[in-house]
Amino acid sequence: MIPIVEGGSRRYGIAEGELDPLRRRRLFLVLGAHKAPQPLYFYYELSTLVGGHRPDLFRAGIEAVEEVIATARSERFSTVESPEVVWPEDRSWVFCTDYDLVSTYIASDRTIAAALTADPQLETAEVSRDTRIDDNADNANVPPGTP
């Protein structure tokens, strides 16, 4: 986490390229509820390269997400907690988050997308190939004083 100082008080934020632990747990709970148990693949690339190490790929069950993250942080020298890409063995969904992205992106079928969108603990937006997803795409949450 990165400390953020606002108005003389301190709060905490998550670095770009990471999912906060509460949302990460919720995301995997929703994703795991829609398929039979199967191995997941957790890929770390940029976060290991920054530390001077080779990319890492882990294979584990959905119940081992936090263990994979702990291993990547301690033994593999990943600079962020969240894996950059995760997918199940049947490739029914994939999610990607990294330093250069402003959000976490999830590709899935409509059933999984509906479950993610319906979950009140996850902030989601459906996008298409034509949807703008850069820093200037959010017109609903414009900071005060922004033209």
Side-chain angles (χ1 to χ4, degrees):
M1 287 198 201
I2 298 172
I4 300 172
V5 177
E6 276 188 356
S9 64
R10 182 178 283 225
R11 66 182 183 89
Y12 290 90
I14 299 298
E16 271 189 38
E18 293 191 69
L19 286 170
D20 72 87
L22 295 175
R23 299 301 173 274
R24 183 176 60 235
R25 281 192 279 282
R26 189 65 188 180
L27 176 62
F28 280 110
L29 180 71
V30 173
L31 290 171
H34 291 277
K35 293 289 179 177
Q38 60 182 305
L40 301 181
Y41 295 88
F42 303 84
Y43 185 63
Y44 289 84
E45 182 180 33
L46 184 57
S47 60
T48 56
L49 292 172
V50 167
H53 301 277
R54 292 183 9 202
D56 274 317
L57 178 64
F58 297 88
R59 182 177 185 263
I62 201 163
E63 72 285 347
V65 170
E66 298 304 319
E67 184 179 338
V68 167
I69 290 168
T71 300
R73 289 285 293 189
S74 64
E75 295 177 17
R76 307 293 192 212
F77 307 104
S78 174
T79 57
V80 297
E81 287 190 7
S82 298
E84 292 160 64
V85 184
V86 179
W87 67 93
E89 194 160 66
D90 71 1
R91 298 180 182 179
S92 56
W93 54 264
V94 61
F95 91 67
C96 180
T97 189
D98 73 32
Y99 286 68
D100 295 327
L101 301 176
V102 296
S103 298
T104 296
Y105 300 97
I106 303 166
S108 69
D109 63 27
R110 292 258 175 224
T111 303
I112 294 171
L116 292 167
T117 304
D119 192 291
Q121 294 181 35
L122 298 172
E123 181 181 348
T124 60
E126 188 170 337
V127 298
S128 71
R129 291 179 188 203
D130 300 322
T131 305
R132 188 173 181 169
I133 57 171
D134 64 0
D135 287 335
N136 297 318
D138 185 0
N139 295 322
N141 299 300
V142 179
T146 302

